[in-house]
Amino acid sequence: MTMPAEQAKPLTRQEATTKVAEIFELIAAIPAAELTPERGLVEDLGIDSLTMMELAVTIQDELQVSVSDDKIKDLRTVGDIIDLVAAAR
């Protein structure tokens, strides 16, 4: 049994940042230039619970990163999502 290449290859923090920015632009229409690690998802970017779920599902589907409900509750900043993606790979 072989693993998909995307799942087997770890991402650097920069690659994770790029992938997260692409997903934010696709799902939330937020340009990459506005996504610094310290930006708050709710406070600064206005991400609501539905959009957060869409982001989580897309991260799972596109990057093969498991995002449980418990993990979603702990995500507060763009950096938290980048860390989640980079650590999971």
Side-chain angles (χ1 to χ4, degrees):
M1 182 163 115
T2 60
M3 295 175 69
E6 186 72 22
Q7 185 175 357
K9 180 184 170 216
L11 293 177
T12 65
R13 183 159 174 86
Q14 183 58 48
E15 290 169 331
T17 300
T18 299
K19 295 287 188 183
V20 168
E22 290 170 0
I23 291 170
F24 264 87
E25 189 154 11
L26 175 70
I27 300 300
I30 298 173
E34 294 183 25
L35 298 175
T36 58
E38 62 279 349
R39 298 288 308 264
L41 298 173
V42 176
E43 303 82 13
D44 298 327
L45 300 174
I47 300 296
D48 61 21
S49 59
L50 179 59
T51 303
M52 192 64 204
M53 290 304 297
E54 291 179 58
L55 289 167
V57 167
T58 304
I59 288 168
Q60 289 181 126
D61 291 348
E62 297 294 321
L63 304 178
Q64 291 79 45
V65 172
S66 176
V67 185
S68 69
D69 290 344
D70 287 338
K71 286 181 185 177
I72 291 171
K73 293 176 191 171
D74 293 336
L75 300 174
R76 303 279 182 250
T77 67
V78 174
D80 290 343
I81 295 177
I82 293 167
D83 291 343
L84 174 73
V85 170
R89 302 292 300 255

